[in-house]
Structure formats: structure tokens, C-alpha cells
Amino acid sequence: MAVLLMRLAGPLQSWGASSRFTRRETEAMPTKSGVIGMIAAALGLGRDASLAGFEGLRFGSRSDQPGTLLRDYQTARNERDVMMPLSNRYYLQDAVFLVGLESDDALRLEEYRHALRAPYYPVFLGRRSCPPDGPIRTWMSQESLEDALRHAPWQAAEWYQRKALRNESMFPEQCFAQIVVEPRAGEQVNGEFVDALADEPVSFDPRRREWRPRRVVRLPNDVRPEPTVHGVAPTSPADDGADTTASVFDDDAIFNTVAGARGGEA
């Protein structure tokens, strides 16, 4: 088996799986249909193209930076200046996720990876109003989907990692990332709650959009990924709020350093 890992980050994300009418909700983590739609756009597939090539993929995601929920109250008028129904749309702000697709066809995953490097159509994080913060970062793993998500380095923004590492009381269980995966076909999951989402895309054709339900399960133990920032130690009560291990580039330290140097020159 091979796994394609993708880092999904942007100012806004929205991953709907059950939106109806004027209420457009978002899941707390990326959806399989949203990620496959993103890859289909990168490959240059039209909305009416067959999705048979995406069958058999197993999907999982890890929440490295959960973000916060934003409600956008929208009004609109049509071309005849008639007020359209009011709507509420929900987004995740400043969230960062690691998602994985597992397949026994590594060449197919490599094709997806190359497409994401130079997408044919623009790619979005769930909705057109949610562009990523830059090119989608991807890499391959030869581990299982679960292990690939467990062992990948922390993908959260540096400021978030520093804040979490300094003040671990923000995370009562001392765990930073939860993982949700799709069980293998026919796999019996014992002792864990198995949910279902209408999230297996069958057709993106606007005239007949269709999804099948798929099973999802949260792994029992959240993981603490390896940080990608260094020189930060947790704040202890004895520190009295002072942090003597911060990097010179952390928060306003660089500006204080520059200001102090100028004061010395004067």
C-alpha cells in the first residue's frame, strides 16, 4: 500500500457533507468528496466526468490546527433585483489539516501528486471562496494510512505550535491532533464508534450530483506529532510568565532586539 499525504491550510476552509437549502454547514475536518473534487480539478476533469478512477481509495485526516468556526450571514439579489433567501454559511478559520489517500496503486497517487503541483483548474478547500495558502504540499508514504497520519511531522503554523508548546494546559489531554479514518471495506471495528457520512462521490455533475455513504471512525488515541519548531519549552508556574527559551524570531522579540541595538548605538 502507498499513501499520498497532503497539507491543507488557508484563511478559510469549508467542508460540507450535509448542507441543505439556506444553511451551508462545514464538517470539523476535510471530507473525502471535497478532497477528490480538488484533485479532479487539478487533473482537469470536467464536472460531468466519470469518477470511476477514484474508486477504491481509503481516506483519512488529521486535525493539526482545528481553527475556529465562522458564520457568514449572506444576502443577495438576483438579476431582477429581487431579494433572494437569506443564508448562513459556515467556515473554519486558520485551520490546518493533514489528509491521506491510501491505494495499492502508487502510480495513481503519483499522478494526483503531480497534478496538485501544477493544477489544470484552480483548487479550493471545499468551496470556491476558500483558496489554499499556497501550493498544496504533498509527499508519499509507504506506511499504512493510520501510521502515515500518526508519524507525519506537525503541520500546524509555527505561531500555533509555539503557543501550544509553551502552554500545554490549552490541551487538557496533552494531545494535539485527532485522527479520523475510513475503515477498510468489510473491516469490523470493535470498541469504537463508527459514524457514516454521505461523502463518497459518485457524480459531480450539477444536474445529478450524487454521493454514497461511507464509514468513518476516530482513532482511540489522539497523537502528538513531532513539532517542526525548536527552542520552545513549556511555561511552568515558576517561570512567572517569563519565557527564556523563545527564538529571537518569536512574537515581538526581534523588534525588541533591533530597538535595543539602536538604543545602544545612540
Side-chain angles (χ1 to χ4, degrees), residues 14-30:
S14 187
W15 306 97
S18 60
S19 297
R20 293 292 184 272
F21 307 109
T22 59
R23 185 180 178 87
R24 303 292 180 174
E25 297 180 348
T26 178
E27 298 294 319
M29 300 176 77

Side-chain angles (χ1 to χ4, degrees), residues 46-49 128 203-211:
R47 287 183 174 271
D48 57 352
R128 291 183 184 178
S203 172
F204 289 138
D205 190 330
R207 297 165 296 183
R208 50 181 180 84
R209 292 176 180 168
E210 185 179 354
W211 298 266

Side-chain angles (χ1 to χ4, degrees), residues 143-172:
E143 297 182 288
S144 68
L145 177 61
E146 290 84 352
D147 286 343
L149 291 171
R150 287 189 184 105
H151 299 154
W154 206 0
Q155 300 302 308
E158 286 194 8
W159 67 265
Y160 183 86
Q161 292 190 40
R162 293 183 185 281
K163 187 174 181 180
L165 291 169
R166 282 202 196 125
N167 186 7
E168 295 184 359
S169 62
M170 293 171 54
F171 303 86

Side-chain angles (χ1 to χ4, degrees), residues 3-52:
V3 175
L4 172 62
L5 294 169
M6 294 163 273
R7 179 184 184 271
L8 303 182
L12 293 176
Q13 303 185 42
S14 187
W15 306 97
S18 60
S19 297
R20 293 292 184 272
F21 307 109
T22 59
R23 185 180 178 87
R24 303 292 180 174
E25 297 180 348
T26 178
E27 298 294 319
M29 300 176 77
T31 59
K32 184 177 184 180
S33 59
V35 171
I36 288 179
M38 181 180 69
I39 295 174
L43 290 167
L45 300 181
R47 287 183 174 271
D48 57 352
S50 170
L51 300 180

Side-chain angles (χ1 to χ4, degrees), residues 13-263:
Q13 303 185 42
S14 187
W15 306 97
S18 60
S19 297
R20 293 292 184 272
F21 307 109
T22 59
R23 185 180 178 87
R24 303 292 180 174
E25 297 180 348
T26 178
E27 298 294 319
M29 300 176 77
T31 59
K32 184 177 184 180
S33 59
V35 171
I36 288 179
M38 181 180 69
I39 295 174
L43 290 167
L45 300 181
R47 287 183 174 271
D48 57 352
S50 170
L51 300 180
F54 295 101
E55 293 180 356
L57 297 172
R58 198 159 72 96
F59 178 77
S61 59
R62 189 180 81 184
S63 178
D64 283 21
Q65 185 174 322
T68 57
L69 188 66
L70 168 70
R71 181 176 73 94
D72 185 22
Y73 180 69
Q74 295 191 356
T75 62
R77 293 180 179 272
N78 63 17
E79 64 276 7
R80 297 188 299 274
D81 200 35
V82 175
M83 179 66 74
M84 302 296 290
L86 305 178
S87 66
N88 289 292
R89 296 174 185 256
Y90 292 84
Y91 301 87
L92 299 173
Q93 303 178 100
D94 294 326
V96 181
F97 301 102
L98 178 68
V99 302
L101 287 173
E102 182 186 78
S103 173
D104 56 3
D105 186 350
L107 292 179
R108 176 166 57 157
L109 297 181
E110 285 287 359
E111 181 186 7
Y112 299 164
R113 187 183 183 194
H114 288 303
L116 289 169
R117 288 176 178 172
Y120 188 91
Y121 294 119
V123 296
F124 306 103
L125 304 180
R127 288 194 191 138
R128 291 183 184 178
S129 58
C130 303
D133 63 358
I136 303 295
R137 292 191 228 163
T138 64
W139 61 100
M140 298 290 294
S141 172
Q142 299 305 314
E143 297 182 288
S144 68
L145 177 61
E146 290 84 352
D147 286 343
L149 291 171
R150 287 189 184 105
H151 299 154
W154 206 0
Q155 300 302 308
E158 286 194 8
W159 67 265
Y160 183 86
Q161 292 190 40
R162 293 183 185 281
K163 187 174 181 180
L165 291 169
R166 282 202 196 125
N167 186 7
E168 295 184 359
S169 62
M170 293 171 54
F171 303 86
E173 299 177 357
Q174 305 295 302
C175 297
F176 295 146
Q178 69 174 17
I179 298 176
V180 175
V181 299
E182 181 179 1
R184 291 180 176 85
E187 178 184 359
Q188 296 296 322
V189 180
N190 298 320
E192 301 299 330
F193 176 73
V194 179
D195 201 357
L197 290 176
D199 186 37
E200 184 75 42
V202 178
S203 172
F204 289 138
D205 190 330
R207 297 165 296 183
R208 50 181 180 84
R209 292 176 180 168
E210 185 179 354
W211 298 266
R212 289 194 303 265
R214 68 179 183 92
R215 298 187 303 159
V216 294
V217 60
R218 175 176 171 176
L219 296 189
N221 298 316
D222 292 349
V223 299
R224 180 169 178 172
E226 184 68 24
T228 55
V229 298
H230 305 285
V232 179
T235 301
S236 66
D239 290 334
D240 295 326
D243 182 6
T244 60
T245 60
S247 163
V248 69
F249 292 102
D250 193 53
D251 296 327
D252 294 330
I254 187 172
F255 301 105
N256 295 334
T257 301
V258 172
R262 288 179 176 175

